[in-house]
Structure formats: C-alpha cells, structure tokens
Amino acid sequence: MNKNFAIAIHGGAGTILRSQMTAEKEKVYTTALESCLQVGLRILQSGGSSLDAVEATIIELENCPFFNAGKGSVFTNDGKHEMDASIMNGANLDAGAVAMVQRIKNPITLARSVMEKTEHVFLCGEGAEKFARSINAAFVDDKYFFDQLRYDQWQQVKDTGITQLDHVDEKKFGTVGCVAIDMHGNLAAGTSTGGMTNKRYGRVGDTPMIGAGTYANNKTCAVSCTGHGEYFIKAVVAYDVACLMEYKNLSLHDACNIVVNEKLKTIGGEGGLIAIDKNGNIELSFNSDGMYRAHAKSDGVIKVEIYK
C-alpha cells in the first residue's frame, strides 16, 4: 500500500464567465465545492476506499442546492424532477446506474445499491423506484427539490417546447461528479444529474451510461463527464479516454485532450470531464468557458477553480 491518493470533483461546465458572476455568487460556489471535496478527502486520508469517497462526495453535492443534481435538480416539462446517476469501481469493473428516478434523495447511493445488491447494472424509472423501496432507500417529498431559481428557469421555457440547459442565461450543463484513487491504488468514478430543464419524453443523457458519462478501470483511469449529454453518448467519452490510454499507451493528459478538444469538438460537443489515472495524475479538461471544479492530492494542497 502506498500513501498516495487523489480526488477531483466537478459541478457542471458551460458558459461560466467571470463577467456574469458576482463576487458573492463566486464565493458561494467555491465554498460549496471545497466543502464537498473535503468529505471525500477525509475518507481517503483515513485509508478509506475510493468508492466510499466518491459516493460520499457526490451525496454532499446532491444535497447542495447550487448544483443540478439531487436537491438542486431542474424541472422537467411536467414540473417534476427526474434524476440520473452512475458509479463504477475500477478494481473489478462493477458498476451501477439509475435513470429517470423521482423523489429519491440521493440517486448516487441508489446507483451503488444497484451495483452491490442486484445482478444488474442499470435500472430506470418505476422499476428503479420499486427496487429503491425494496431496500428502504431514502425517498423525499417533491417539495424537497423545489428551488425558486430552477422554477423560474422552467417557467420561462415550459410552454415553448425548448429544452434548456441548466442555466437559461449562462448555458451551463449541470451535472456533478467525482473521481478518486485511494491508498490501495483503486480507482472509482461517479456522476449524478437532474438533466435538462423542460426535458420531455423520458430524455436521458450520458450521466447514467457507463462508458459515456462515467468509467473507471484500475488499468487506466477514472472519468466523470459533464456537458451536452447527447454528444458525450455519441462519442462514448469516458471509455474513449481509457481506451486511448490502454490501447495507444497515451498519457492521461493526451487522451483527455484528444477526446475533449478534438473528437468532441469535431461533432459539436461542449463540456468537459475530470479524470485521475492509476498513478494519481489529475486532469480537468473542458472545451467550454468554464467548469466548476476542485481537486486535491495526498500532499494536502486543495485547488478550487471555475473559469478557464
């Protein structure tokens, strides 16, 4: 066992400009990111597993109303909150995911339960909720998810047929995610989202799709994505980064750069990802104006950033 570990989180990417951010708002986001990161960091510092660190960190992000996941989830066209999440264990490629779940307090925990308590990887909608009830997962009332800003965003577009990204004015892709490597060298990744404002027809993005929005393999890296999900699905982004490392022997930096700044951009995909490789190297790559992000290593240095 070596004593090195690392963790990184994101809270969404997109048109996040300093000119549109007040000092107060910036402080709110950076403080929230750091406090969420600290949760996972403490687990890793005490010798805990990357899987536990990833889940605990994302629970904290889901419980924070500033991010489009869990409590801060956006409204669908029907005025509901449909959430997606996935988690993956790099040690054995076990994975769990849920999509289109409602009233689940912490979708990331339900995704982990799918991984550990069923023979399946991916459950959705009513079936996922039925499973959640069978294991006594935490449900909350619809009003738990109510946020005035999210409600106002929905009101602006609900009769237009337009599907909005997280923030109407800022064009922000709202997702939260975490990647980590623990002292035992095990990698893990997780991602959670409330999707797009005014989404219809049971739309699901890349977040719960293993290989598209989330991937972890001890041989290579752990990846969590945030962006315009349709493009991340088409480009199988998270797995593509791992593939370039495994089959082309590229470094994490080069693999992320090719996928985010070349392959994704070529097809019109905007957003970014966080990744950690088996040696604890961290990459936070994005082709948008900004990405809410934070990371830390065993040396104790914590970095929190928003803009390019």
Side-chain angles (χ1 to χ4, degrees):
M1 181 170 85
N2 73 45
K3 291 290 182 190
N4 293 327
F5 54 84
I7 185 170
I9 64 172
H10 68 72
T15 310
I16 306 163
L17 303 172
R18 193 176 259 112
S19 58
Q20 294 175 347
M21 189 84 75
T22 63
E24 295 79 28
K25 196 171 166 190
E26 187 173 322
K27 182 85 174 119
V28 162
Y29 276 113
T30 54
T31 302
L33 285 166
E34 182 166 349
S35 68
C36 291
L37 185 78
Q38 288 278 9
V39 170
L41 193 55
R42 284 193 289 271
I43 290 170
L44 295 173
Q45 284 168 337
S46 64
S49 76
S50 54
L51 203 61
D52 287 345
V54 164
E55 182 194 6
T57 303
I58 293 178
I59 285 172
E60 205 69 17
L61 286 158
E62 288 175 341
N63 292 346
C64 177
F66 308 127
F67 304 106
N68 177 18
K71 188 171 175 59
S73 293
V74 297
F75 285 82
T76 67
N77 180 255
D78 297 331
K80 305 273 196 228
H81 306 275
E82 285 179 358
M83 297 162 286
D84 311 326
S86 63
I87 193 164
M88 188 163 184
N89 184 351
N92 54 14
L93 304 189
D94 279 355
V98 293
M100 294 175 58
V101 296
Q102 297 184 21
R103 299 179 302 280
I104 299 287
K105 185 170 189 274
N106 293 112
I108 194 68
T109 297
L110 185 58
R112 183 168 179 179
S113 294
V114 171
M115 175 175 78
E116 294 180 341
K117 297 177 179 177
T118 80
E119 60 201 34
H120 309 302
V121 170
F122 200 161
L123 301 181
C124 74
E126 287 179 20
E129 289 165 24
K130 193 173 180 181
F131 166 67
R133 278 188 282 274
S134 79
I135 59 164
N136 295 315
F139 279 79
V140 285
D141 197 82
D142 273 329
K143 62 176 178 281
Y144 169 82
F145 300 101
F146 183 86
D147 178 82
Q148 192 63 49
L149 172 69
R150 301 291 191 214
Y151 183 77
D152 293 342
Q153 288 169 355
W154 173 53
Q155 291 299 307
Q156 286 176 42
V157 295
K158 70 172 184 161
D159 299 320
T160 64
I162 295 169
T163 304
Q164 282 284 8
L165 302 169
D166 179 359
H167 288 195
V168 176
D169 302 320
E170 300 168 14
K171 202 174 95 165
K172 179 173 149 306
F173 306 93
T175 315
V176 304
C178 179
V179 291
I181 186 166
D182 58 33
M183 290 181 186
H184 308 279
N186 290 320
L187 287 158
T191 317
S192 181
T193 188
M196 288 181 164
T197 298
N198 206 37
K199 67 180 177 181
R200 310 178 189 223
Y201 314 123
R203 179 264 181 190
V204 176
D206 64 308
T207 293
M209 296 187 190
I210 301 302
T214 304
Y215 192 72
N217 186 336
N218 277 9
K219 281 195 210 169
T220 50
C221 61
V223 183
S224 172
C225 301
T226 174
H228 197 145
E230 279 69 13
Y231 295 95
F232 281 69
I233 294 167
K234 292 174 191 176
V236 202
V237 168
Y239 184 59
D240 203 17
V241 170
C243 278
L244 287 170
M245 294 177 70
E246 186 171 356
Y247 302 125
K248 282 200 160 184
N249 289 317
L250 293 189
S251 67
L252 181 68
H253 172 79
D254 290 348
C256 290
N257 186 50
I258 286 171
V259 173
V260 174
N261 294 311
E262 293 177 25
K263 291 175 133 187
L264 251 183
K265 274 180 122 169
T266 302
I267 60 170
E270 188 185 343
L273 58 80
I274 53 173
I276 293 181
D277 70 12
K278 64 181 181 182
N279 299 314
N281 296 306
I282 298 173
E283 284 297 322
L284 308 110
S285 304
F286 54 99
N287 60 32
S288 49
D289 290 310
M291 182 168 75
Y292 295 110
R293 62 203 189 275
H295 62 94
K297 289 189 173 184
S298 30
D299 60 14
V301 178
I302 293 174
K303 284 196 175 171
V304 183
E305 297 167 301
I306 297 176
Y307 317 105
K308 264 209 164 123

